[in-house]
Amino acid sequence: MTTPLLSVSSLNKRFGTTIACDDISFDLWPGEVLGIVGESGSGKTTLLRSIAGLIEPDSGEINYRATGGEVDVHLMSEPELRRLQRTEWAFVHQHPRDGLRLNVSAGANIGERLMANNWRHYADIRTEALKWLAAVEIDEARIDDLPRTFSGGMQQRLQIARNLVTSPRLVFMDEPTGGLDVSVQARLLDLIRSLVRDLGLSAIVVTHDLAVARLLSTRLMVMKDARVIEQGLTDQVLEDPQAAYSQLLVSSVLQV
Amino acid sequence: MTRKPVLSVEQIDKQFVLHTQNGAILDVLRGTSLAVSAVEIAALCGPSGAGKSSLLKAVYGTYRVNGGRILVRHGDDTIDVATAAPRTISALRRNTIGYVSQFLRVIPRVPALDIVADPAIEQGVTPDDARARAADLLRRLRIPDSLFKLSPSTFSGGEQQRVNIARAMAAPRPLMLFDEPTASLDPENRATVLQMIAGLRDSGTAVLGIFHDPADRKTLGARDIDMTTCGREETVHA
Amino acid sequence: MSIEPAGCRDSGYNFAYLNEQTKKMIRRALLKAVAIPGYQVPFASREMPMPYGWGTGGVQVTASILTPEDVLKVIDQGADDTTNAVSIRKFFRRTAGVATTEATAQATVIQTRHRIPERALGPDQILVYQVPIPEPLRFLEPRETETRKMHAFEDYGLMHVKLYEDISQHGHIATTYAYPVKVEGRYVMDPSPTPKFDNPKMDNCAALQLFGAGREKRIYALPPFTSVVSLDFEDHPFQVQAWEHPCELCGARDSYLDEVIIDDKGGRMFVCSDTDYCASRRMAASEAAE
């Protein structure tokens, strides 16, 4: 019997008197893509950032089954956590500028994680960077250009390449297609979908866009007012939503 | 000869509570029971609103039922879809239950060939073999080779329907659910699809479907299940 | 070459300008820096009677370690006779009354900006560097909170990003000064804006090397015989600069050369940047000729 890759139990997080995450528990299994949907302010991004070790929850456990054994994310020392974050994990930010170094070239952006993992052969790093540019459909001739000369969609694809280059096992994505126009979104979604499948990644994707959730995730959690009010397979939640808010969310999607 | 059914639906209820419409309650299934065995085709019959599609979705695990059991033989185990964890349902869908909906859910930019090959790849078939199998099925369903590399988003309704059927056929599972598979097809393709479904049955599959046209049910030699009587009345097409 | 003997100190100042409390504070920082080679120790940098950028960090370190018996040498870009070197030398003659020299071999304390003397230093010598920006990661990661963590966690991937950028833009590592080094396999350190030509001299050096950054309020150190390795890539190994011609004054082929413009018609010559090294070679040559 396999065990979950990640187990979150009774996670709580407040900001002052505002409750951002209220007693949240769930498991993520290997190869699974979990979508977290809900309106702005429902606590989904706080949940994601807490799990990824970017903010400290007030209470609760986050157990991750690392290659070297199970760890509690918030009991790890900071260097251990950082090592995890730059090897087995990846975090794709909504705004590429939060996840990229805009003042170094595309190639160096992709190569940074490799160098942080002690790659010391320039030509090898370069070859790997070219491979990843191709994988995210960026012209290889752009390898030495600064990301600031890229379009928003290209920047986001570069951020994904930069994150996936070390073959992480778990990827966190915060509104990965937010702020992109629809045609660029479709291309990016397809790219993420195939990378996740081809690399056998597990992922947690936060989005307020149900179309994104449907396309990427195997399972969905609906959040409202800091709580998980419903969860199930993606088609279960979208086609047979039980909670009043989930029904409202699903029925609010514009059909084209 | 008694054969243990692949699917036994026992007294299931399905109710929709529409919170957005003042809590209106829709009873779509009430105490429905039926069973389907290997090497047979069962057809759900009844007027619109009798709960035919809902039943298929309940068996596939998309609709969560309010009562009753949906027992499916999964390898050596029997799993109750009504209470199974999402992960178990995922495993069921990968290896045990196939579902052909009325409409193809198109994924932007993914070519028809890959859409068809996907479920087979998920079952562990090598991508090359899966694509070869997919191409063969698409040709049998008269989809021209020139369309294989295109996303079906621009295809006609009939073409999309055939891609959808090919997708299910490329990864046959012991229990196959069909929701009006021939609805938008011309006579030639309709005949091919019916042939394929009969072929599935002959190779040992349990088939449960909605076939609007009585002629189709006759061609398939299906056992009709009357949904208006909660599955209690059956007619067998000789 | 001669020593200008110790002279009379201006009694209006405490010995070497700084008060004793301040010197103690700086010595404590120096001790910590020596104990953790390559680690940047914060210290309470004082206002000095010269502007930042003129070597206030180096001057405070020198002031804290000087004894009345020391012989001080000050160089700027290798030369003893440039404005900065001359005025710092004068400063310490006046406030400490110590002996000064231009001869590397005779000095016990050498304060430097931008060079390491060509002549190998000995165990009884201390080299004090003036440092403008002590943080090697600064240009890629401006947040001090973050760079301190990167040092603490030995999280140095970013340092190679800079070298990667060099190669991708210039075909080779184009960083020629302030070339980052790793100290005793642990801390990445900025060797101050010395040319990378001097990096190998830092490695396993017999003298104590102290670094002072006044504006940035940081002190760091290399105790004698510390391992100092220049960062590089396997397929782009660290290399020092080389010149096609020897020094046009002394004929040295092993020293760092400055380009000197000699007229307004485009005439130029390459000569040793280390004026003492060049002069002593010329003197030795003329003695041999006699």
Side-chain angles (χ1 to χ4, degrees), chain A residues 1-2 29 137 186-187 190 193 197 214-215 219 230-233 235-237 239-240 242-244 247-248 251, chain B residues 14 16-20 57 60-64 66 86-87 89-90 93 105-110 118 121-122:
Chain A
M1 186 66 191
T2 54
W29 298 84
E137 303 171 19
R187 186 174 180 192
D190 170 44
R193 203 187 63 94
R197 200 190 58 188
R214 183 189 278 277
L215 205 57
R219 203 151 59 84
E230 179 158 359
Q231 52 180 317
L233 291 170
D235 59 316
Q236 291 176 333
V237 174
E239 293 187 36
D240 185 15
Q242 310 281 315
Q247 291 185 0
L248 181 68
S251 65
Chain B
K14 176 61 190 170
F16 288 107
V17 182
L18 307 177
H19 295 284
T20 51
K57 287 190 175 183
Y60 195 58
T62 299
Y63 285 176
R64 289 168 280 189
N66 302 88
R87 223 166 71 82
I89 294 179
S90 288
R93 290 176 181 181
R105 187 164 295 285
V106 184
I107 302 158
R109 298 211 314 154
V110 179
D118 254 8
I121 294 172
E122 270 176 41

Side-chain angles (χ1 to χ4, degrees), chain B residues 92-173:
Chain B
L92 268 178
R93 290 176 181 181
R94 191 162 49 245
N95 294 312
T96 301
I97 313 179
Y99 172 56
V100 182
S101 60
Q102 282 192 57
F103 302 103
L104 174 67
R105 187 164 295 285
V106 184
I107 302 158
R109 298 211 314 154
V110 179
L113 192 69
D114 288 355
I115 288 187
V116 175
D118 254 8
I121 294 172
E122 270 176 41
Q123 286 184 344
V125 178
T126 66
D128 284 347
D129 289 352
R131 282 194 197 101
R133 194 188 284 180
D136 180 49
L137 283 161
L138 287 170
R139 284 186 196 115
R140 280 176 66 191
L141 288 162
R142 299 175 187 84
I143 302 285
D145 283 32
S146 56
L147 297 184
F148 288 9
K149 289 279 165 208
L150 302 180
S151 162
S153 49
T154 54
F155 291 10
S156 71
E159 283 165 341
Q160 290 194 2
Q161 178 68 318
R162 280 177 276 152
V163 170
N164 211 11
I165 290 164
R167 177 176 159 87
M169 295 292 177
R173 279 143 280 182

